[in-house]
Protein backbone atom coordinates (compact mmCIF):
# COMPACT_ATOMS: atom_id res chain seq x y z
CA UNK A 1 0.00 0.00 0.00
CA UNK A 2 1.13 3.53 -0.79
CA UNK A 3 1.95 5.88 2.07
CA UNK A 4 -0.14 9.06 2.04
CA UNK A 5 1.34 12.43 3.03
CA UNK A 6 -0.70 15.61 3.36
CA UNK A 7 1.56 18.65 3.09
CA UNK A 8 1.03 22.42 3.21
CA UNK A 9 0.94 23.78 -0.38
CA UNK A 10 3.08 26.88 0.30
CA UNK A 11 5.13 25.93 3.37
CA UNK A 12 5.63 22.17 3.10
CA UNK A 13 6.71 20.51 6.35
CA UNK A 14 10.42 19.59 6.07
CA UNK A 15 9.89 16.35 8.00
CA UNK A 16 7.35 15.10 5.45
CA UNK A 17 9.47 16.21 2.49
CA UNK A 18 12.41 14.32 4.04
CA UNK A 19 10.34 11.15 4.40
CA UNK A 20 9.23 11.26 0.76
CA UNK A 21 12.80 11.92 -0.39
CA UNK A 22 13.95 8.83 1.54
CA UNK A 23 11.32 6.72 -0.22
CA UNK A 24 12.63 7.99 -3.57
CA UNK A 25 16.27 7.33 -2.60
CA UNK A 26 15.24 3.83 -1.56
CA UNK A 27 13.99 3.04 -5.07
CA UNK A 28 10.38 4.09 -4.57
CA UNK A 29 7.94 5.54 -7.08
CA UNK A 30 5.97 8.53 -5.79
CA UNK A 31 3.20 10.83 -6.94
CA UNK A 32 3.80 14.50 -6.19
CA UNK A 33 2.18 17.86 -7.06
CA UNK A 34 3.53 20.32 -9.62
CA UNK A 35 2.37 23.62 -11.14
CA UNK A 36 0.54 21.61 -13.81
CA UNK A 37 -1.03 18.33 -12.62
CA UNK A 38 0.29 15.64 -10.33
CA UNK A 39 3.32 13.74 -11.60
CA UNK A 40 4.87 10.31 -11.19
CA UNK A 41 8.48 10.55 -10.04
CA UNK A 42 11.45 8.34 -9.19
CA UNK A 43 15.21 8.67 -8.82
CA UNK A 44 17.23 9.39 -11.93
CA UNK A 45 18.99 6.02 -12.08
CA UNK A 46 15.97 3.94 -11.06
CA UNK A 47 15.48 1.54 -13.98
CA UNK A 48 12.65 -0.32 -12.25
CA UNK A 49 10.92 2.98 -11.46
CA UNK A 50 11.09 3.93 -15.14
CA UNK A 51 9.54 0.58 -16.10
CA UNK A 52 6.80 1.07 -13.51
CA UNK A 53 5.91 4.48 -14.97
CA UNK A 54 5.79 2.95 -18.47
CA UNK A 55 3.51 0.20 -17.17
CA UNK A 56 1.14 2.54 -15.29
CA UNK A 57 0.81 4.90 -18.26
CA UNK A 58 1.24 2.22 -21.00
CA UNK A 59 3.98 4.21 -22.71
CA UNK A 60 6.19 3.08 -25.60
CA UNK A 61 9.91 3.75 -25.97
CA UNK A 62 9.30 6.94 -27.99
CA UNK A 63 7.78 8.73 -25.02
CA UNK A 64 9.73 11.71 -23.76
CA UNK A 65 10.26 11.47 -20.04
CA UNK A 66 10.93 14.68 -18.15
CA UNK A 67 13.78 15.57 -15.85
CA UNK A 68 12.16 17.77 -13.21
CA UNK A 69 14.96 20.16 -12.18
CA UNK A 70 15.29 22.49 -9.21
CA UNK A 71 16.95 25.34 -11.09
CA UNK A 72 18.61 26.41 -14.30
CA UNK A 73 22.09 25.33 -13.22
CA UNK A 74 20.88 21.79 -12.61
CA UNK A 75 19.00 21.73 -15.90
CA UNK A 76 22.17 22.74 -17.75
CA UNK A 77 23.97 19.55 -16.69
CA UNK A 78 21.57 17.40 -18.68
CA UNK A 79 20.83 19.30 -21.90
CA UNK A 80 22.75 21.35 -24.46
CA UNK A 81 21.47 24.95 -24.69
CA UNK A 82 22.88 27.49 -27.13
CA UNK A 83 22.63 31.22 -26.47
CA UNK A 84 19.41 31.97 -28.34
CA UNK A 85 17.61 29.00 -26.77
CA UNK A 86 19.07 29.87 -23.36
CA UNK A 87 17.36 33.26 -23.32
CA UNK A 88 13.97 31.84 -24.32
CA UNK A 89 14.09 29.01 -21.79
CA UNK A 90 15.45 31.21 -18.99
CA UNK A 91 12.63 33.71 -19.49
CA UNK A 92 10.02 30.96 -19.12
CA UNK A 93 11.32 29.25 -15.99
CA UNK A 94 10.23 28.35 -13.46
CA UNK A 95 6.86 27.67 -15.05
CA UNK A 96 4.48 25.23 -16.68
CA UNK A 97 6.70 24.43 -19.66
CA UNK A 98 8.61 21.32 -20.69
CA UNK A 99 11.51 21.87 -23.09
CA UNK A 100 12.78 19.14 -25.40
CA UNK A 101 16.51 19.60 -25.95
CA UNK A 102 19.57 17.58 -27.03
CA UNK A 103 20.83 15.55 -24.09
CA UNK A 104 24.32 15.71 -22.61
CA UNK A 105 26.25 12.64 -21.51
CA UNK A 106 24.96 13.25 -17.97
CA UNK A 107 21.42 12.25 -19.00
CA UNK A 108 20.76 8.50 -18.62
CA UNK A 109 20.64 6.91 -22.08
CA UNK A 110 17.43 4.99 -21.41
CA UNK A 111 15.57 8.29 -20.94
CA UNK A 112 16.46 9.62 -24.36
CA UNK A 113 14.31 9.54 -27.46
CA UNK A 114 15.80 6.56 -29.37
CA UNK A 115 16.38 8.49 -32.62
CA UNK A 116 16.64 12.14 -31.64
CA UNK A 117 18.76 11.67 -28.48
CA UNK A 118 16.70 14.35 -26.78
CA UNK A 119 15.15 14.60 -23.33
CA UNK A 120 12.45 16.77 -21.76
CA UNK A 121 13.42 19.12 -18.94
CA UNK A 122 11.50 21.55 -16.78
CA UNK A 123 11.67 23.69 -13.65
CA UNK A 124 8.37 23.73 -11.73
CA UNK A 125 6.88 26.83 -10.13
CA UNK A 126 5.45 24.92 -7.16
CA UNK A 127 6.62 25.13 -3.54
CA UNK A 128 6.17 21.42 -2.75
CA UNK A 129 7.90 20.19 -5.91
CA UNK A 130 10.74 22.66 -5.30
CA UNK A 131 11.13 21.55 -1.68
CA UNK A 132 11.33 17.91 -2.75
CA UNK A 133 13.90 18.67 -5.44
CA UNK A 134 15.98 20.69 -2.98
CA UNK A 135 15.93 17.83 -0.50
CA UNK A 136 16.95 15.29 -3.16
CA UNK A 137 19.70 17.45 -4.64
CA UNK A 138 19.11 15.99 -8.11
CA UNK A 139 16.37 15.96 -10.76
CA UNK A 140 13.35 13.69 -10.49
CA UNK A 141 12.63 11.42 -13.43
CA UNK A 142 9.01 12.35 -14.04
CA UNK A 143 5.92 11.86 -16.14
CA UNK A 144 2.48 13.49 -15.94
CA UNK A 145 -0.01 11.37 -13.98
CA UNK A 146 -2.37 10.75 -16.87
CA UNK A 147 -3.79 7.23 -16.84
CA UNK A 148 -4.34 5.50 -20.20
CA UNK A 149 -8.10 5.11 -19.77
CA UNK A 150 -8.75 8.69 -18.65
CA UNK A 151 -8.99 11.92 -20.64
CA UNK A 152 -7.84 14.19 -17.81
CA UNK A 153 -5.34 13.75 -14.97
CA UNK A 154 -6.62 12.94 -11.49
CA UNK A 155 -6.68 15.99 -9.19
CA UNK A 156 -7.51 14.68 -5.71
CA UNK A 157 -4.81 13.05 -3.60
CA UNK A 158 -7.16 10.59 -1.86
CA UNK A 159 -8.62 9.59 -5.23
CA UNK A 160 -5.11 9.02 -6.60
CA UNK A 161 -4.22 6.87 -3.59
CA UNK A 162 -7.36 4.75 -4.06
CA UNK A 163 -6.67 4.30 -7.77
CA UNK A 164 -2.95 3.56 -7.58
CA UNK A 165 -2.51 2.25 -4.05
CA UNK A 166 -0.75 -0.97 -5.07
CA UNK A 167 1.46 0.34 -7.90
CA UNK A 168 3.16 3.35 -6.26
CA UNK A 169 4.95 3.75 -2.93
CA UNK A 170 3.78 7.19 -1.80
CA UNK A 171 1.33 9.97 -2.61
CA UNK A 172 2.34 13.52 -1.64
CA UNK A 173 -0.76 15.69 -1.59
CA UNK A 174 -0.96 19.48 -1.24
CA UNK A 175 -4.40 19.97 -2.78
CA UNK A 176 -5.73 20.27 -6.31
CA UNK A 177 -3.02 21.35 -8.75
CA UNK A 178 -5.11 21.36 -11.93
CA UNK A 179 -5.72 19.14 -14.93
CA UNK A 180 -3.76 20.97 -17.60
CA UNK A 181 -0.32 19.49 -18.37
CA UNK A 182 2.68 21.59 -19.34
CA UNK A 183 3.12 23.30 -22.66
CA UNK A 184 5.82 21.34 -24.50
CA UNK A 185 8.33 23.22 -26.66
CA UNK A 186 10.80 21.28 -28.81
CA UNK A 187 14.05 23.23 -29.25
CA UNK A 188 16.08 20.28 -30.55
CA UNK A 189 16.40 21.86 -34.00
CA UNK A 190 17.18 25.35 -32.70
CA UNK A 191 13.80 26.91 -33.52
CA UNK A 192 10.86 26.46 -31.15
CA UNK A 193 8.20 23.93 -32.17
CA UNK A 194 5.07 23.81 -30.02
CA UNK A 195 4.44 20.08 -29.48
CA UNK A 196 1.64 20.45 -26.94
CA UNK A 197 -0.36 23.46 -25.80
CA UNK A 198 -0.99 23.34 -22.08
CA UNK A 199 -0.78 25.37 -18.89
CA UNK A 200 2.12 27.61 -20.01
CA UNK A 201 1.27 30.45 -22.42
CA UNK A 202 2.52 29.22 -25.83
CA UNK A 203 2.26 32.63 -27.53
CA UNK A 204 5.84 33.63 -26.64
CA UNK A 205 7.08 30.73 -28.82
CA UNK A 206 4.90 31.43 -31.87
Amino acid sequence: MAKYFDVHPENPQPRIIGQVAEIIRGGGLVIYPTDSCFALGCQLGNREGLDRIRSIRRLDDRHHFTLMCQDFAQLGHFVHIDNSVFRAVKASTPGSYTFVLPATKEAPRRLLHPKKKTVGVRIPDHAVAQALLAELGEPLLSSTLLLPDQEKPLTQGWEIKDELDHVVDAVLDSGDCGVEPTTVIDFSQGEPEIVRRGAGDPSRFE
Side-chain angles (χ1 to χ4, degrees):
M1 287 179 61
K3 292 183 177 179
Y4 178 81
F5 299 93
D6 192 4
V7 70
H8 193 281
E10 294 171 9
N11 298 293
Q13 300 89 317
R15 180 180 58 83
I16 294 177
I17 295 297
Q19 288 177 289
V20 176
E22 278 306 302
I23 290 170
I24 293 168
R25 290 191 191 104
L29 176 61
V30 307
I31 292 167
Y32 68 101
T34 79
D35 50 344
S36 58
C37 313
F38 280 91
L40 291 149
C42 67
Q43 200 167 28
L44 205 55
N46 187 346
R47 186 187 296 268
E48 183 191 355
L50 181 67
D51 291 340
R52 289 168 71 186
I53 294 174
R54 286 191 195 279
S55 175
I56 290 168
R57 292 204 53 202
R58 296 182 203 156
L59 301 171
D60 61 29
D61 64 359
R62 293 186 301 278
H63 179 77
H64 262 119
F65 285 90
T66 298
L67 297 181
M68 191 76 71
C69 299
Q70 183 186 357
D71 53 30
F72 209 86
Q74 194 177 72
L75 181 149
H77 285 294
F78 296 94
V79 289
H80 294 288
I81 309 180
D82 67 24
N83 288 340
S84 60
V85 174
F86 175 92
R87 287 191 292 273
V89 173
K90 183 81 170 171
S92 307
T93 55
S96 301
Y97 297 92
T98 299
F99 298 100
V100 178
L101 289 157
T104 67
K105 291 180 180 178
E106 301 294 323
R109 289 180 61 84
R110 59 185 169 277
L111 299 187
L112 310 186
H113 187 284
K115 291 183 179 177
K116 298 179 181 178
K117 305 303 179 193
T118 50
V119 69
V121 288
R122 89 177 194 90
I123 302 170
D125 187 12
H126 192 283
V128 176
Q130 279 288 344
L132 185 57
L133 290 165
E135 178 68 25
L136 284 168
E138 65 178 15
L140 260 174
L141 192 169
S142 297
S143 184
T144 302
L145 179 59
L146 180 59
L147 301 181
D149 55 346
Q150 296 176 344
E151 289 186 10
K152 291 187 176 181
L154 297 172
T155 62
Q156 303 298 321
W158 59 267
E159 185 182 23
I160 290 168
K161 182 175 173 4
D162 282 351
E163 183 93 16
L164 299 172
D165 203 22
H166 297 290
V167 293
V168 300
D169 300 295
V171 176
L172 182 58
D173 185 15
S174 64
D176 189 337
C177 53
V179 297
E180 202 168 12
T182 56
T183 293
V184 179
I185 311 294
D186 187 339
F187 268 115
S188 61
Q189 302 302 314
E191 294 297 321
E193 177 190 349
I194 300 171
V195 177
R196 180 179 71 196
R197 295 173 185 271
D201 179 8
S203 63
R204 64 176 66 190
F205 299 102
E206 291 176 324

